[in-house]
Amino acid sequence: MNKFFKMLSFITMFLMIALTAGCEDSAASDSTKPLKKFPTFNSKDLAGNQITNDIFAKKKLTVVNIWGTFCPPCIAEMPELAQWSEKMSNDVQLIGIVCDVNDFNDVETINEAKKILGDSNAKFVNIIPNSEFENFLSEIEAVPTTIFVDGSGNILNKKIVGADVDGYKDFVKDFLNE
């Protein structure tokens, strides 16, 4: 039942964002200006590998896709994300954060995430959020939300709410051409 209320909450937030989309003045902000540092974390990915903030230092830019197993737009964009992740520039990587996994013992949701990723042939890293992600994820209004993090772990001043792989690609292209 807890999962039902969690899903209902995310859907409600997504609808509220969708209804107010377009109210932000995107021309007024510099999309490459860092907002803040990504929170320090030591977690695991869906394969059980340890993952820390050091993942960001491996590339010039990391595309962070925050998604949920309950979210149809998240699931629908996964095959396209999988294909894109295989063709990315050597300076860029894609990682996912599965926002509705409660902890490492949430086997049901972890297995569902693995199934979604497997069905989509998505091989990029997907992080299981632990308590270190709690404050960060509480600021996410809806899923999918995609943010961009530089090699120093700075969250850049660009956030895309909703499934928009073309928008993600455009940001990456612009970032690399600067």
Side-chain angles (χ1 to χ4, degrees), residues 39-148:
T40 301
F41 68 91
N42 185 349
S43 191
K44 293 181 181 178
D45 66 12
L46 289 174
N49 302 307
Q50 288 296 128
I51 304 289
T52 68
N53 301 58
D54 294 340
I55 194 167
F56 300 121
K58 295 178 180 181
K59 302 290 180 174
K60 189 183 270 188
L61 182 68
T62 301
V63 179
V64 181
N65 182 259
I66 303 155
W67 66 283
T69 61
F70 58 86
C71 168
C74 301
I75 296 166
E77 78 173 350
M78 203 56 68
E80 191 173 0
L81 289 174
Q83 290 175 346
W84 182 41
S85 71
E86 297 290 325
K87 299 174 186 173
M88 285 183 155
S89 156
N90 288 334
D91 293 333
V92 183
Q93 66 183 336
L94 172 64
I95 65 171
I97 299 175
V98 190
C99 70
D100 60 325
V101 175
N102 293 320
D103 59 34
F104 304 123
N105 298 316
D106 185 358
V107 177
E108 182 181 337
T109 311
I110 290 170
N111 287 339
E112 182 63 22
K114 287 179 179 179
K115 180 181 180 332
I116 291 165
L117 294 166
D119 290 348
S120 302
N121 201 29
K123 297 177 181 133
F124 56 90
V125 170
N126 275 270
I127 298 172
I128 298 171
N130 56 21
S131 61
E132 297 165 320
F133 286 85
E134 196 170 302
N135 288 337
F136 171 74
L137 290 176
S138 72
E139 297 175 11
I140 302 301
E141 298 99 12
V143 291
T145 291
T146 300
I147 62 169
F148 304 88

